[in-house]
């Protein structure tokens, strides 16, 4: 069975291009894998930012955590359990101010945990989430995918690779202010050409 984790980060409740693309990707994947299970998480609904209390909770052994620490750690533990269970990640990536939405950065902060999703070796860091695939639905108004002002796609690719996920595809409805219909049609064509 295929387990799909869908992450949306757009702050737009309606009219979001990245959500439209993640819908299309999900429809393609579930048509090819009717028995697939889908876990959806709307990151724009909010995640607590990591802070000193988070570090204290994460680095305290589970059996020694206070009730407050256990509640703090439970958020990160849940997000890590979701990504570990997933075979495929479908991530909506709208570009805000040349970078990722803060909610997606916060999600990476929660799931990048030493001993859980990566480890350090003499050769450097090694991701522990190997054998997974990620499909990223990127959207932007003025930023062109892969350009020198696109600080989002490279960051997301790097973080996924850091976690061990190196099979990464992007579909991009980019620079939409210069031709929204053409940009969306291009991205939808990229979705339709993906191996499901």
């Amino acid at each position: 069975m295929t387990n799909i984790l869908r992450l949306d980060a757009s702050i737009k409740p309606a009219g979001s291009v990245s959500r439209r693309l993640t819908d299309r990707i999900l429809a393609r994947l579930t048509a090819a894998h009717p028995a697939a299970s889908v876990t959806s998480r709307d990151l724009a609904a909010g995640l607590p930012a990591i802070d000193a209390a988070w570090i204290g909770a994460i680095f305290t052994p589970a059996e020694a955590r206070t009730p407050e620490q256990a509640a703090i750690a439970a958020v990160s533990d849940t997000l890590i359990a979701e990504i570990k269970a997933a075979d495929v990640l479908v991530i909506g990536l709208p570009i805000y101010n040349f970078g990722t939405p803060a909610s997606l950065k916060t999600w990476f902060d929660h799931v990048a945990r030493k001993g859980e999703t990566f480890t350090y070796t003499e050769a450097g860091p090694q991701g522990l989430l190997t054998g997974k695939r990620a499909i990223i639905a990127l959207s932007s108004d003025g930023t062109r995918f892969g350009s020198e002002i696109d600080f989002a796609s490279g960051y997301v690719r790097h973080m996924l690779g850091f976690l061990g996920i190196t099979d990464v595809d992007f579909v991009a409805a980019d620079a939409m202010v210069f031709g929204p219909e053409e940009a969306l049609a291009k991205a939808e064509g990229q979705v339709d050409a993906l191996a499901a």
Side-chain angles (χ1 to χ4, degrees):
M1 176 171 25
T2 299
N3 295 318
I4 302 168
L5 173 60
R6 173 185 176 160
L7 303 171
D8 285 300
S10 173
I11 58 174
K12 294 180 183 177
S16 163
V17 173
S18 65
R19 288 179 191 266
R20 179 171 170 174
L21 292 174
T22 54
D23 282 344
R24 192 177 186 104
I25 293 165
L26 200 61
R28 180 162 175 77
L29 292 175
T30 54
H33 306 279
S37 67
V38 179
T39 300
S40 295
R41 183 166 289 276
D42 188 349
L43 300 178
L47 287 174
I50 65 169
D51 57 12
W54 182 87
I55 291 174
I58 295 305
F59 287 101
T60 298
E63 65 277 3
R65 289 174 183 154
T66 66
E68 180 184 28
Q69 287 177 321
I72 291 169
V75 174
S76 181
D77 290 343
T78 298
L79 299 175
I80 288 173
E82 289 174 354
I83 193 173
K84 283 183 174 180
D87 301 301
V88 181
L89 283 71
V90 177
I91 302 175
L93 174 60
I95 294 183
Y96 295 156
N97 299 316
F98 314 106
T100 65
S103 61
L104 183 56
K105 167 67 166 66
T106 300
W107 180 82
F108 276 117
D109 288 342
H110 277 282
V111 300
R113 273 177 46 193
K114 186 174 74 169
E116 291 285 344
T117 56
F118 76 94
T119 189
Y120 288 113
T121 70
E122 289 184 10
Q126 178 180 340
L128 300 176
L129 303 180
T130 58
K132 300 179 186 297
R133 178 186 186 195
I135 305 169
I136 316 302
L138 180 145
S139 65
S140 72
D141 279 339
T143 303
R144 295 201 185 276
F145 171 61
S147 70
E148 69 278 359
I149 61 170
D150 169 11
F151 300 107
S153 64
Y155 169 76
V156 169
R157 185 185 297 277
H158 174 80
M159 286 303 300
L160 291 170
F162 179 74
L163 302 177
I165 303 170
T166 56
D167 181 1
V168 180
D169 291 307
F170 280 85
V171 298
D174 59 337
M176 292 191 70
V177 295
F178 304 110
E181 292 177 7
E182 297 87 345
L184 188 55
K186 177 192 73 169
E188 289 176 340
Q190 291 170 343
V191 172
D192 295 344
L194 286 170

